[in-house]
PDB file of all heavy atoms in Angstrom:
ATOM      1  N   ASP A 214      91.831 120.148 105.416  1.00  0.00           N
ATOM      2  CA  ASP A 214      90.671 119.914 104.560  1.00  0.00           C
ATOM      3  C   ASP A 214      90.402 121.139 103.695  1.00  0.00           C
ATOM      4  O   ASP A 214      90.486 122.268 104.172  1.00  0.00           O
ATOM      5  CB  ASP A 214      89.429 119.602 105.393  1.00  0.00           C
ATOM      6  CG  ASP A 214      89.494 118.232 106.057  1.00  0.00           C
ATOM      7  OD1 ASP A 214      90.446 117.480 105.786  1.00  0.00           O
ATOM      8  OD2 ASP A 214      88.590 117.916 106.847  1.00  0.00           O
ATOM      9  N   ALA A 215      90.112 120.911 102.426  1.00  0.00           N
ATOM     10  CA  ALA A 215      89.812 121.941 101.420  1.00  0.00           C
ATOM     11  C   ALA A 215      91.024 122.794 101.051  1.00  0.00           C
ATOM     12  O   ALA A 215      90.891 123.778 100.353  1.00  0.00           O
ATOM     13  CB  ALA A 215      88.657 122.829 101.862  1.00  0.00           C
ATOM     14  N   GLN A 216      92.206 122.421 101.484  1.00  0.00           N
ATOM     15  CA  GLN A 216      93.426 123.141 101.129  1.00  0.00           C
ATOM     16  C   GLN A 216      94.093 122.410  99.964  1.00  0.00           C
ATOM     17  O   GLN A 216      94.045 121.186  99.880  1.00  0.00           O
ATOM     18  CB  GLN A 216      94.373 123.200 102.320  1.00  0.00           C
ATOM     19  CG  GLN A 216      95.591 124.065 102.112  1.00  0.00           C
ATOM     20  CD  GLN A 216      96.448 124.147 103.374  1.00  0.00           C
ATOM     21  OE1 GLN A 216      96.415 123.258 104.215  1.00  0.00           O
ATOM     22  NE2 GLN A 216      97.210 125.209 103.482  1.00  0.00           N
ATOM     23  N   SER A 217      94.710 123.167  99.074  1.00  0.00           N
ATOM     24  CA  SER A 217      95.368 122.533  97.940  1.00  0.00           C
ATOM     25  C   SER A 217      96.811 122.988  97.845  1.00  0.00           C
ATOM     26  O   SER A 217      97.206 124.001  98.423  1.00  0.00           O
ATOM     27  CB  SER A 217      94.624 122.831  96.645  1.00  0.00           C
ATOM     28  OG  SER A 217      94.661 124.207  96.363  1.00  0.00           O
ATOM     29  N   GLY A 218      97.593 122.213  97.105  1.00  0.00           N
ATOM     30  CA  GLY A 218      98.990 122.525  96.886  1.00  0.00           C
ATOM     31  C   GLY A 218      99.455 121.897  95.595  1.00  0.00           C
ATOM     32  O   GLY A 218      98.759 121.070  95.003  1.00  0.00           O
ATOM     33  N   VAL A 219     100.643 122.275  95.172  1.00  0.00           N
ATOM     34  CA  VAL A 219     101.238 121.737  93.956  1.00  0.00           C
ATOM     35  C   VAL A 219     102.373 120.804  94.360  1.00  0.00           C
ATOM     36  O   VAL A 219     103.231 121.172  95.170  1.00  0.00           O
ATOM     37  CB  VAL A 219     101.764 122.877  93.056  1.00  0.00           C
ATOM     38  CG1 VAL A 219     102.462 122.316  91.829  1.00  0.00           C
ATOM     39  CG2 VAL A 219     100.628 123.791  92.649  1.00  0.00           C
ATOM     40  N   ILE A 220     102.380 119.612  93.793  1.00  0.00           N
ATOM     41  CA  ILE A 220     103.411 118.625  94.123  1.00  0.00           C
ATOM     42  C   ILE A 220     104.753 119.124  93.606  1.00  0.00           C
ATOM     43  O   ILE A 220     104.891 119.449  92.424  1.00  0.00           O
ATOM     44  CB  ILE A 220     103.070 117.255  93.514  1.00  0.00           C
ATOM     45  CG1 ILE A 220     101.773 116.729  94.133  1.00  0.00           C
ATOM     46  CG2 ILE A 220     104.214 116.274  93.723  1.00  0.00           C
ATOM     47  CD1 ILE A 220     101.265 115.445  93.511  1.00  0.00           C
ATOM     48  N   SER A 221     105.736 119.172  94.510  1.00  0.00           N
ATOM     49  CA  SER A 221     107.074 119.601  94.108  1.00  0.00           C
ATOM     50  C   SER A 221     108.022 118.416  93.955  1.00  0.00           C
ATOM     51  O   SER A 221     108.909 118.442  93.098  1.00  0.00           O
ATOM     52  CB  SER A 221     107.633 120.623  95.098  1.00  0.00           C
ATOM     53  OG  SER A 221     107.645 120.104  96.396  1.00  0.00           O
ATOM     54  N   SER A 222     107.842 117.372  94.771  1.00  0.00           N
ATOM     55  CA  SER A 222     108.675 116.174  94.634  1.00  0.00           C
ATOM     56  C   SER A 222     108.042 115.010  95.381  1.00  0.00           C
ATOM     57  O   SER A 222     107.200 115.200  96.260  1.00  0.00           O
ATOM     58  CB  SER A 222     110.087 116.426  95.167  1.00  0.00           C
ATOM     59  OG  SER A 222     110.051 116.639  96.569  1.00  0.00           O
ATOM     60  N   ILE A 223     108.475 113.815  95.008  1.00  0.00           N
ATOM     61  CA  ILE A 223     108.034 112.591  95.683  1.00  0.00           C
ATOM     62  C   ILE A 223     109.282 111.887  96.167  1.00  0.00           C
ATOM     63  O   ILE A 223     110.167 111.550  95.368  1.00  0.00           O
ATOM     64  CB  ILE A 223     107.217 111.692  94.736  1.00  0.00           C
ATOM     65  CG1 ILE A 223     105.965 112.430  94.273  1.00  0.00           C
ATOM     66  CG2 ILE A 223     106.852 110.383  95.431  1.00  0.00           C
ATOM     67  CD1 ILE A 223     105.157 111.718  93.223  1.00  0.00           C
ATOM     68  N   ASN A 224     109.377 111.682  97.467  1.00  0.00           N
ATOM     69  CA  ASN A 224     110.554 111.076  98.080  1.00  0.00           C
ATOM     70  C   ASN A 224     110.281 109.604  98.366  1.00  0.00           C
ATOM     71  O   ASN A 224     109.982 109.220  99.486  1.00  0.00           O
ATOM     72  CB  ASN A 224     110.913 111.812  99.372  1.00  0.00           C
ATOM     73  CG  ASN A 224     111.104 113.288  99.135  1.00  0.00           C
ATOM     74  OD1 ASN A 224     111.790 113.673  98.195  1.00  0.00           O
ATOM     75  ND2 ASN A 224     110.500 114.116  99.956  1.00  0.00           N
ATOM     76  N   ALA A 225     110.383 108.769  97.322  1.00  0.00           N
ATOM     77  CA  ALA A 225     110.095 107.351  97.460  1.00  0.00           C
ATOM     78  C   ALA A 225     110.854 106.577  96.391  1.00  0.00           C
ATOM     79  O   ALA A 225     111.452 107.164  95.484  1.00  0.00           O
ATOM     80  CB  ALA A 225     108.601 107.117  97.318  1.00  0.00           C
ATOM     81  N   ASP A 226     110.794 105.260  96.496  1.00  0.00           N
ATOM     82  CA  ASP A 226     111.448 104.435  95.483  1.00  0.00           C
ATOM     83  C   ASP A 226     110.695 104.526  94.157  1.00  0.00           C
ATOM     84  O   ASP A 226     109.585 105.050  94.083  1.00  0.00           O
ATOM     85  CB  ASP A 226     111.563 102.988  95.953  1.00  0.00           C
ATOM     86  CG  ASP A 226     110.218 102.341  96.256  1.00  0.00           C
ATOM     87  OD1 ASP A 226     109.259 102.558  95.484  1.00  0.00           O
ATOM     88  OD2 ASP A 226     110.129 101.611  97.248  1.00  0.00           O
ATOM     89  N   ALA A 227     111.317 104.024  93.112  1.00  0.00           N
ATOM     90  CA  ALA A 227     110.767 104.156  91.758  1.00  0.00           C
ATOM     91  C   ALA A 227     109.395 103.504  91.617  1.00  0.00           C
ATOM     92  O   ALA A 227     108.512 104.055  90.963  1.00  0.00           O
ATOM     93  CB  ALA A 227     111.742 103.562  90.746  1.00  0.00           C
ATOM     94  N   ALA A 228     109.194 102.358  92.228  1.00  0.00           N
ATOM     95  CA  ALA A 228     107.911 101.652  92.095  1.00  0.00           C
ATOM     96  C   ALA A 228     106.776 102.452  92.727  1.00  0.00           C
ATOM     97  O   ALA A 228     105.689 102.581  92.142  1.00  0.00           O
ATOM     98  CB  ALA A 228     107.999 100.270  92.732  1.00  0.00           C
ATOM     99  N   PHE A 229     107.012 103.007  93.905  1.00  0.00           N
ATOM    100  CA  PHE A 229     105.977 103.785  94.584  1.00  0.00           C
ATOM    101  C   PHE A 229     105.707 105.090  93.834  1.00  0.00           C
ATOM    102  O   PHE A 229     104.565 105.497  93.668  1.00  0.00           O
ATOM    103  CB  PHE A 229     106.378 104.069  96.035  1.00  0.00           C
ATOM    104  CG  PHE A 229     105.319 104.778  96.814  1.00  0.00           C
ATOM    105  CD1 PHE A 229     104.154 104.124  97.165  1.00  0.00           C
ATOM    106  CD2 PHE A 229     105.467 106.105  97.177  1.00  0.00           C
ATOM    107  CE1 PHE A 229     103.159 104.775  97.882  1.00  0.00           C
ATOM    108  CE2 PHE A 229     104.486 106.759  97.894  1.00  0.00           C
ATOM    109  CZ  PHE A 229     103.333 106.086  98.245  1.00  0.00           C
ATOM    110  N   THR A 230     106.770 105.723  93.343  1.00  0.00           N
ATOM    111  CA  THR A 230     106.614 106.954  92.569  1.00  0.00           C
ATOM    112  C   THR A 230     105.809 106.689  91.303  1.00  0.00           C
ATOM    113  O   THR A 230     104.936 107.480  90.938  1.00  0.00           O
ATOM    114  CB  THR A 230     107.998 107.539  92.219  1.00  0.00           C
ATOM    115  OG1 THR A 230     108.712 107.800  93.432  1.00  0.00           O
ATOM    116  CG2 THR A 230     107.878 108.819  91.424  1.00  0.00           C
ATOM    117  N   ARG A 231     106.065 105.576  90.644  1.00  0.00           N
ATOM    118  CA  ARG A 231     105.316 105.208  89.436  1.00  0.00           C
ATOM    119  C   ARG A 231     103.849 104.960  89.777  1.00  0.00           C
ATOM    120  O   ARG A 231     102.951 105.403  89.070  1.00  0.00           O
ATOM    121  CB  ARG A 231     105.933 103.989  88.774  1.00  0.00           C
ATOM    122  CG  ARG A 231     105.279 103.611  87.455  1.00  0.00           C
ATOM    123  CD  ARG A 231     105.959 102.445  86.734  1.00  0.00           C
ATOM    124  NE  ARG A 231     106.158 101.283  87.586  1.00  0.00           N
ATOM    125  CZ  ARG A 231     107.344 100.863  88.052  1.00  0.00           C
ATOM    126  NH1 ARG A 231     108.439 101.523  87.755  1.00  0.00           N
ATOM    127  NH2 ARG A 231     107.430  99.790  88.813  1.00  0.00           N
ATOM    128  N   ARG A 232     103.600 104.264  90.874  1.00  0.00           N
ATOM    129  CA  ARG A 232     102.225 103.988  91.290  1.00  0.00           C
ATOM    130  C   ARG A 232     101.461 105.281  91.566  1.00  0.00           C
ATOM    131  O   ARG A 232     100.316 105.448  91.137  1.00  0.00           O
ATOM    132  CB  ARG A 232     102.213 103.101  92.535  1.00  0.00           C
ATOM    133  CG  ARG A 232     100.832 102.569  92.848  1.00  0.00           C
ATOM    134  CD  ARG A 232     100.866 101.599  94.005  1.00  0.00           C
ATOM    135  NE  ARG A 232     100.210 102.261  95.116  1.00  0.00           N
ATOM    136  CZ  ARG A 232     100.548 102.163  96.376  1.00  0.00           C
ATOM    137  NH1 ARG A 232     101.540 101.426  96.744  1.00  0.00           N
ATOM    138  NH2 ARG A 232      99.883 102.808  97.300  1.00  0.00           N
ATOM    139  N   LEU A 233     102.097 106.216  92.262  1.00  0.00           N
ATOM    140  CA  LEU A 233     101.458 107.507  92.516  1.00  0.00           C
ATOM    141  C   LEU A 233     101.208 108.255  91.214  1.00  0.00           C
ATOM    142  O   LEU A 233     100.161 108.876  91.032  1.00  0.00           O
ATOM    143  CB  LEU A 233     102.313 108.361  93.451  1.00  0.00           C
ATOM    144  CG  LEU A 233     102.307 107.974  94.920  1.00  0.00           C
ATOM    145  CD1 LEU A 233     103.251 108.883  95.704  1.00  0.00           C
ATOM    146  CD2 LEU A 233     100.927 108.037  95.513  1.00  0.00           C
ATOM    147  N   GLY A 234     102.173 108.191  90.305  1.00  0.00           N
ATOM    148  CA  GLY A 234     102.019 108.854  89.014  1.00  0.00           C
ATOM    149  C   GLY A 234     100.836 108.321  88.227  1.00  0.00           C
ATOM    150  O   GLY A 234     100.123 109.069  87.560  1.00  0.00           O
ATOM    151  N   GLU A 235     100.593 107.033  88.309  1.00  0.00           N
ATOM    152  CA  GLU A 235      99.458 106.424  87.625  1.00  0.00           C
ATOM    153  C   GLU A 235      98.130 106.912  88.197  1.00  0.00           C
ATOM    154  O   GLU A 235      97.108 106.883  87.513  1.00  0.00           O
ATOM    155  CB  GLU A 235      99.544 104.909  87.710  1.00  0.00           C
ATOM    156  CG  GLU A 235     100.677 104.333  86.883  1.00  0.00           C
ATOM    157  CD  GLU A 235     100.940 102.868  87.156  1.00  0.00           C
ATOM    158  OE1 GLU A 235     100.327 102.291  88.086  1.00  0.00           O
ATOM    159  OE2 GLU A 235     101.778 102.284  86.439  1.00  0.00           O
ATOM    160  N   MET A 236      98.150 107.386  89.438  1.00  0.00           N
ATOM    161  CA  MET A 236      96.938 107.904  90.075  1.00  0.00           C
ATOM    162  C   MET A 236      96.821 109.424  89.933  1.00  0.00           C
ATOM    163  O   MET A 236      95.904 110.025  90.471  1.00  0.00           O
ATOM    164  CB  MET A 236      96.917 107.522  91.561  1.00  0.00           C
ATOM    165  CG  MET A 236      96.769 106.041  91.804  1.00  0.00           C
ATOM    166  SD  MET A 236      96.572 105.626  93.545  1.00  0.00           S
ATOM    167  CE  MET A 236      98.233 105.819  94.154  1.00  0.00           C
ATOM    168  N   GLY A 237      97.768 110.040  89.233  1.00  0.00           N
ATOM    169  CA  GLY A 237      97.692 111.471  89.002  1.00  0.00           C
ATOM    170  C   GLY A 237      98.570 112.321  89.896  1.00  0.00           C
ATOM    171  O   GLY A 237      98.528 113.548  89.824  1.00  0.00           O
ATOM    172  N   PHE A 238      99.380 111.699  90.726  1.00  0.00           N
ATOM    173  CA  PHE A 238     100.254 112.437  91.641  1.00  0.00           C
ATOM    174  C   PHE A 238     101.643 112.556  91.007  1.00  0.00           C
ATOM    175  O   PHE A 238     102.505 111.708  91.203  1.00  0.00           O
ATOM    176  CB  PHE A 238     100.337 111.720  92.990  1.00  0.00           C
ATOM    177  CG  PHE A 238      99.057 111.756  93.764  1.00  0.00           C
ATOM    178  CD1 PHE A 238      98.036 110.862  93.490  1.00  0.00           C
ATOM    179  CD2 PHE A 238      98.857 112.700  94.754  1.00  0.00           C
ATOM    180  CE1 PHE A 238      96.846 110.891  94.196  1.00  0.00           C
ATOM    181  CE2 PHE A 238      97.666 112.744  95.467  1.00  0.00           C
ATOM    182  CZ  PHE A 238      96.661 111.842  95.185  1.00  0.00           C
ATOM    183  N   THR A 239     101.830 113.626  90.228  1.00  0.00           N
ATOM    184  CA  THR A 239     103.110 113.879  89.572  1.00  0.00           C
ATOM    185  C   THR A 239     103.562 115.303  89.897  1.00  0.00           C
ATOM    186  O   THR A 239     102.747 116.151  90.257  1.00  0.00           O
ATOM    187  CB  THR A 239     102.981 113.717  88.038  1.00  0.00           C
ATOM    188  OG1 THR A 239     101.960 114.596  87.569  1.00  0.00           O
ATOM    189  CG2 THR A 239     102.645 112.293  87.651  1.00  0.00           C
ATOM    190  N   ALA A 240     104.843 115.534  89.753  1.00  0.00           N
ATOM    191  CA  ALA A 240     105.392 116.871  90.022  1.00  0.00           C
ATOM    192  C   ALA A 240     104.694 117.903  89.140  1.00  0.00           C
ATOM    193  O   ALA A 240     104.462 117.678  87.958  1.00  0.00           O
ATOM    194  CB  ALA A 240     106.890 116.880  89.773  1.00  0.00           C
ATOM    195  N   GLY A 241     104.316 119.021  89.757  1.00  0.00           N
ATOM    196  CA  GLY A 241     103.630 120.092  89.046  1.00  0.00           C
ATOM    197  C   GLY A 241     102.113 119.980  89.068  1.00  0.00           C
ATOM    198  O   GLY A 241     101.425 120.910  88.665  1.00  0.00           O
ATOM    199  N   GLU A 242     101.591 118.878  89.546  1.00  0.00           N
ATOM    200  CA  GLU A 242     100.141 118.665  89.578  1.00  0.00           C
ATOM    201  C   GLU A 242      99.534 119.266  90.848  1.00  0.00           C
ATOM    202  O   GLU A 242     100.071 119.119  91.938  1.00  0.00           O
ATOM    203  CB  GLU A 242      99.831 117.167  89.525  1.00  0.00           C
ATOM    204  CG  GLU A 242      98.365 116.838  89.399  1.00  0.00           C
ATOM    205  CD  GLU A 242      97.763 117.358  88.107  1.00  0.00           C
ATOM    206  OE1 GLU A 242      98.438 117.315  87.063  1.00  0.00           O
ATOM    207  OE2 GLU A 242      96.618 117.832  88.164  1.00  0.00           O
ATOM    208  N   ARG A 243      98.389 119.948  90.701  1.00  0.00           N
ATOM    209  CA  ARG A 243      97.672 120.505  91.855  1.00  0.00           C
ATOM    210  C   ARG A 243      96.841 119.403  92.493  1.00  0.00           C
ATOM    211  O   ARG A 243      96.137 118.657  91.816  1.00  0.00           O
ATOM    212  CB  ARG A 243      96.768 121.657  91.434  1.00  0.00           C
ATOM    213  CG  ARG A 243      95.991 122.248  92.618  1.00  0.00           C
ATOM    214  CD  ARG A 243      95.462 123.627  92.341  1.00  0.00           C
ATOM    215  NE  ARG A 243      96.503 124.627  92.168  1.00  0.00           N
ATOM    216  CZ  ARG A 243      97.151 125.224  93.171  1.00  0.00           C
ATOM    217  NH1 ARG A 243      96.868 124.920  94.409  1.00  0.00           N
ATOM    218  NH2 ARG A 243      98.063 126.141  92.932  1.00  0.00           N
ATOM    219  N   VAL A 244      96.928 119.296  93.825  1.00  0.00           N
ATOM    220  CA  VAL A 244      96.208 118.282  94.593  1.00  0.00           C
ATOM    221  C   VAL A 244      95.461 118.980  95.720  1.00  0.00           C
ATOM    222  O   VAL A 244      95.997 119.874  96.378  1.00  0.00           O
ATOM    223  CB  VAL A 244      97.185 117.243  95.189  1.00  0.00           C
ATOM    224  CG1 VAL A 244      96.454 116.226  96.032  1.00  0.00           C
ATOM    225  CG2 VAL A 244      97.961 116.562  94.088  1.00  0.00           C
ATOM    226  N   GLU A 245      94.216 118.560  95.948  1.00  0.00           N
ATOM    227  CA  GLU A 245      93.400 119.129  97.020  1.00  0.00           C
ATOM    228  C   GLU A 245      93.085 118.057  98.052  1.00  0.00           C
ATOM    229  O   GLU A 245      92.737 116.937  97.700  1.00  0.00           O
ATOM    230  CB  GLU A 245      92.104 119.692  96.459  1.00  0.00           C
ATOM    231  CG  GLU A 245      91.217 120.312  97.524  1.00  0.00           C
ATOM    232  CD  GLU A 245      89.910 120.851  96.973  1.00  0.00           C
ATOM    233  OE1 GLU A 245      89.678 120.772  95.753  1.00  0.00           O
ATOM    234  OE2 GLU A 245      89.114 121.342  97.781  1.00  0.00           O
ATOM    235  N   CYS A 246      93.204 118.423  99.322  1.00  0.00           N
ATOM    236  CA  CYS A 246      92.806 117.532 100.410  1.00  0.00           C
ATOM    237  C   CYS A 246      91.297 117.667 100.581  1.00  0.00           C
ATOM    238  O   CYS A 246      90.794 118.746 100.865  1.00  0.00           O
ATOM    239  CB  CYS A 246      93.531 117.923 101.695  1.00  0.00           C
ATOM    240  SG  CYS A 246      93.057 116.916 103.115  1.00  0.00           S
ATOM    241  N   ILE A 247      90.590 116.577 100.390  1.00  0.00           N
ATOM    242  CA  ILE A 247      89.131 116.595 100.496  1.00  0.00           C
ATOM    243  C   ILE A 247      88.694 116.395 101.946  1.00  0.00           C
ATOM    244  O   ILE A 247      87.968 117.206 102.497  1.00  0.00           O
ATOM    245  CB  ILE A 247      88.495 115.514  99.603  1.00  0.00           C
ATOM    246  CG1 ILE A 247      88.932 115.680  98.143  1.00  0.00           C
ATOM    247  CG2 ILE A 247      86.979 115.533  99.720  1.00  0.00           C
ATOM    248  CD1 ILE A 247      88.519 116.972  97.512  1.00  0.00           C
ATOM    249  N   CYS A 248      89.144 115.308 102.559  1.00  0.00           N
ATOM    250  CA  CYS A 248      88.801 115.059 103.968  1.00  0.00           C
ATOM    251  C   CYS A 248      89.681 113.950 104.537  1.00  0.00           C
ATOM    252  O   CYS A 248      90.304 113.201 103.809  1.00  0.00           O
ATOM    253  CB  CYS A 248      87.320 114.702 104.125  1.00  0.00           C
ATOM    254  SG  CYS A 248      86.844 113.152 103.374  1.00  0.00           S
ATOM    255  N   ARG A 249      89.691 113.886 105.846  1.00  0.00           N
ATOM    256  CA  ARG A 249      90.444 112.857 106.569  1.00  0.00           C
ATOM    257  C   ARG A 249      89.466 111.904 107.242  1.00  0.00           C
ATOM    258  O   ARG A 249      88.359 112.288 107.584  1.00  0.00           O
ATOM    259  CB  ARG A 249      91.307 113.493 107.663  1.00  0.00           C
ATOM    260  CG  ARG A 249      92.348 114.418 107.124  1.00  0.00           C
ATOM    261  CD  ARG A 249      93.040 115.175 108.259  1.00  0.00           C
ATOM    262  NE  ARG A 249      94.040 116.065 107.708  1.00  0.00           N
ATOM    263  CZ  ARG A 249      95.298 115.703 107.482  1.00  0.00           C
ATOM    264  NH1 ARG A 249      95.689 114.502 107.805  1.00  0.00           N
ATOM    265  NH2 ARG A 249      96.146 116.551 106.955  1.00  0.00           N
TER     266      ARG A 249
END
């Protein structure tokens, strides 16, 4: 929680990778874990 990182790669099929990309999860993007 409250830790962030930069996406380096997505290990999934093209459809799932595209779906994540549409939500802002792309290589080079900073992502923060808010809570579980």
Side-chain angles (χ1 to χ4, degrees):
D214 289 354
Q216 187 176 25
S217 64
V219 176
I220 296 174
S221 57
S222 66
I223 299 174
N224 305 313
D226 60 41
F229 184 70
T230 301
R231 185 176 51 251
R232 191 175 110 216
L233 285 178
E235 291 169 353
M236 293 186 284
F238 291 82
T239 57
E242 186 63 38
R243 179 161 294 280
V244 178
E245 181 181 359
C246 178
I247 304 298
C248 66
R249 297 172 180 271

